[in-house]
Amino acid sequence: MAGLGARAVLVTGANRGIGLELVRQLAGGPDAPRWIFACCREPDGVHGQKLRKLVSSHPNLVIVKLDVTNHATIKAAATYVEDHLEDTGLNLLINNAGVLAEVALETVAPQDMLNGYNSNVVGPLLVSQAFLPLLRRAAQGSIQKGLSCSRAAIINISTVLGSIGLAPHTFVKHVISYRCSKAALNMLTKCQSLDYKEDGILCAAVHPGWVKTDMGTQQADLTVDESVRGILSVLSRFGDEHNGAFVNWKGETIPW
């Protein structure tokens, strides 16, 4: 797998599952970033143990406290990351943090829907806003002319369950808030791609597959290692034609 060529990468929801494996493979892969910012809600708590252990063997890995549903922690994290980067920018932001609640269409409550939107849509929106100045700085300081993840990019981890076009083929009950919020995330991604293109920032959504994680369950098709290897390989090949794209971990286009 080719390296991304990014100097600085930030991953939200990095304490477990796909986020933790993204950080692990980035830190140990070829052409590892100079800085990898691994964000999670409680870095000093029980859920941060695996991440803290990983940091002990990778000096380029920095744990950052960030709760995507708490605007104050997002702003504080942006300041903290900027201090580390000094005069350079952030090349790649991976909005990975998200939640899935098992609620059915007939019984879903307003708060269930709001919780899903806050974590899966509003969170990535606010995180992207907070780190936009650093992404712009990276794009402006790059000698590259085209769009890429090594220059500046926002990657939103989405799901095929958010595809309206594929809904008849992927419909399962009990995840209505998740499906609706991820469809909204896809629209956010498309809007970001149109708005931030002039800044030199690539924006795309990636479906990681059905992965064996706490969220995906052990009945899933893919291991975390397989999914993340695929994602990073896809990101390393992203260019101008992928701005505003919705693809899976193999790089195959998914209908909106």
Side-chain angles (χ1 to χ4, degrees):
M1 180 185 71
L4 288 177
R7 181 179 185 274
V9 179
L10 184 142
V11 182
T12 66
N15 61 303
R16 64 176 184 171
I18 293 171
L20 181 63
E21 187 62 23
L22 278 167
V23 168
R24 189 195 314 276
Q25 291 193 23
L26 281 167
D31 194 19
R34 171 67 180 84
W35 294 107
I36 303 171
F37 299 99
C39 302
C40 63
R41 289 181 296 179
E42 299 177 354
D44 298 324
V46 175
H47 297 300
Q49 288 180 345
K50 292 181 180 179
L51 191 54
R52 294 196 300 272
K53 183 178 180 180
L54 191 61
V55 167
S56 66
S57 57
H58 294 286
N60 58 336
L61 184 54
V62 179
I63 300 179
V64 181
K65 180 179 176 61
L66 189 156
D67 179 349
V68 300
T69 65
N70 186 316
H71 199 189
T73 70
I74 295 173
K75 292 194 295 184
T79 299
Y80 183 74
V81 169
E82 183 175 20
D83 289 342
H84 273 78
L85 294 177
E86 297 177 343
D87 293 330
T88 60
L90 179 68
N91 302 107
L92 177 59
L93 165 61
I94 302 179
N95 282 313
N96 167 73
V99 296
L100 184 154
E102 294 190 7
V103 288
L105 184 59
E106 296 87 349
T107 58
V108 63
Q111 195 58 50
D112 294 325
M113 295 297 290
L114 291 173
N115 289 342
Y117 275 84
N118 281 334
S119 293
N120 299 341
V121 188
V122 180
L125 168 65
L126 295 178
V127 171
S128 299
Q129 287 177 338
F131 287 95
L132 183 59
L134 292 178
L135 289 162
R136 283 174 170 157
R137 186 180 301 173
Q140 293 167 359
S142 174
I143 60 174
Q144 298 182 38
K145 298 303 179 183
L147 301 178
S148 71
C149 290
S150 60
R151 184 184 181 192
I154 297 173
I155 302 299
N156 294 322
I157 301 299
S158 186
T159 172
V160 69
L161 297 181
S163 167
I164 296 174
L166 291 181
H169 308 285
T170 63
F171 184 72
V172 291
K173 295 185 177 182
H174 309 301
V175 290
I176 189 65
S177 61
Y178 183 68
R179 296 188 73 122
C180 291
S181 61
K182 287 296 188 174
L185 176 65
N186 290 345
M187 175 56 81
L188 172 64
T189 304
K190 180 60 77 171
C191 291
Q192 289 174 326
S193 72
L194 296 170
D195 202 340
Y196 300 155
K197 180 181 180 180
E198 62 187 37
D199 293 312
I201 301 171
L202 183 153
C203 302
V206 175
H207 165 53
W210 186 23
V211 186
K212 295 181 187 295
T213 62
D214 291 343
M215 183 181 292
T217 76
Q218 291 305 303
Q219 285 71 51
D221 300 324
L222 286 172
T223 66
V224 181
D225 176 79
E226 291 170 327
S227 171
V228 170
R229 286 187 184 279
I231 291 170
L232 292 180
S233 177
V234 167
L235 297 189
S236 71
R237 303 193 301 269
F238 268 1
D240 292 80
E241 67 274 20
H242 299 100
N243 188 45
F246 181 20
V247 303
N248 65 15
W249 78 103
K250 297 179 180 179
E252 299 167 337
T253 298
I254 298 176
W256 296 106

